[in-house]
Amino acid sequence: MKSVPYAPTIDSLMYVMVATRPDISHAVGVVSRFMHNPGRSHWNAVTHVFRYLASTKDHGILFGPKSTSGIVGYTDSDFAGCVNSRKSTTGYCFKFSNGAISWKSKLQECTTTSMTEAEYVAASDAAKEDLWLGRLVHTFRQVDSDSALVVYSDSQCVNALSKNPVHHYASKHIDVRYHFVRG
């Protein structure tokens, strides 16, 4: 593996991911964790990503007619998906005029103890991005200042927890910084 150009190849994939292909974010995030000591299986995963890119050359970010709904976000998380650290992965994507404008797939900084907590951490990250995008769009006056930005989560527990201002004994362990999603 010493003769394999692993790091430059990952850098190239990151450029493609950031520029036009959000669909490979998770895969690139996983293989980039092993930049310092890649194994044969990691290189095989990288070549798999390249085969996927070659077979989906016609995919990319396409913008349609101006959407009346403004910016729409979607967030999700896995629970303890990393087999090495047992940390969860946060993922979100924001769309404007039917095209992706912001996305993230990243290992969470904390180790969560439940699926609800993992989803809540992901929703908190998405809420921060939502606020930033709202300010940016308002600056360019592309969306009415009265129209709210929307973030969808597939977790009913997170939806209930973010709407209820009362702290429960089961959610006390969630750090205060993740309650950002309530605001």
Side-chain angles (χ1 to χ4, degrees):
M1 287 302 296
K2 290 184 180 183
S3 64
V4 173
Y6 192 81
T9 305
I10 297 299
D11 289 342
S12 298
L13 283 174
M14 285 185 176
Y15 177 77
V16 170
M17 171 192 73
V18 169
T20 60
R21 294 299 297 265
D23 53 330
I24 64 169
S25 294
H26 180 71
V28 172
V30 170
V31 295
S32 68
R33 295 177 196 161
F34 304 98
M35 296 260 289
H36 297 293
N37 189 18
R40 184 44 114 183
S41 62
H42 305 119
W43 184 249
N44 290 340
V46 169
T47 58
H48 183 75
V49 173
F50 276 108
R51 282 194 306 272
Y52 170 77
L53 287 172
S55 68
T56 58
K57 289 179 190 175
D58 57 340
H59 288 78
I61 299 173
L62 300 173
F63 293 94
K66 187 174 180 182
S67 173
T68 58
S69 61
I71 296 177
V72 179
Y74 303 91
T75 181
D76 201 6
S77 174
D78 69 353
F79 174 56
C82 179
V83 295
N84 297 325
S85 67
R86 303 312 292 166
K87 291 185 178 181
S88 304
T89 301
T90 288
Y92 63 70
C93 179
F94 285 88
K95 294 174 75 175
F96 179 68
S97 293
N98 300 320
I101 59 168
S102 178
W103 55 87
K104 178 180 183 179
S105 174
K106 182 181 176 190
L107 204 61
Q108 294 177 355
E109 296 174 9
C110 61
T111 304
T112 56
T113 58
S114 68
M115 183 65 180
T116 299
E117 186 178 356
E119 293 273 355
Y120 200 78
V121 170
S124 176
D125 280 354
K128 291 174 192 174
E129 185 71 6
D130 182 56
L131 281 176
W132 184 83
L133 287 171
R135 290 181 187 130
L136 180 69
V137 170
H138 180 69
T139 301
F140 294 122
R141 292 177 175 79
Q142 292 296 315
V143 176
D144 294 335
S145 58
D146 297 335
S147 65
L149 279 69
V150 180
V151 179
Y152 293 104
S153 173
D154 63 350
S155 172
Q156 296 300 319
C157 295
V158 170
N159 294 339
L161 188 59
S162 64
K163 291 177 184 173
N164 187 355
V166 178
H167 290 277
H168 298 285
Y169 73 92
S171 63
K172 275 186 172 179
H173 65 286
I174 297 176
D175 192 57
V176 173
R177 75 184 211 174
Y178 298 115
H179 288 299
F180 179 85
V181 73
R182 289 185 177 165

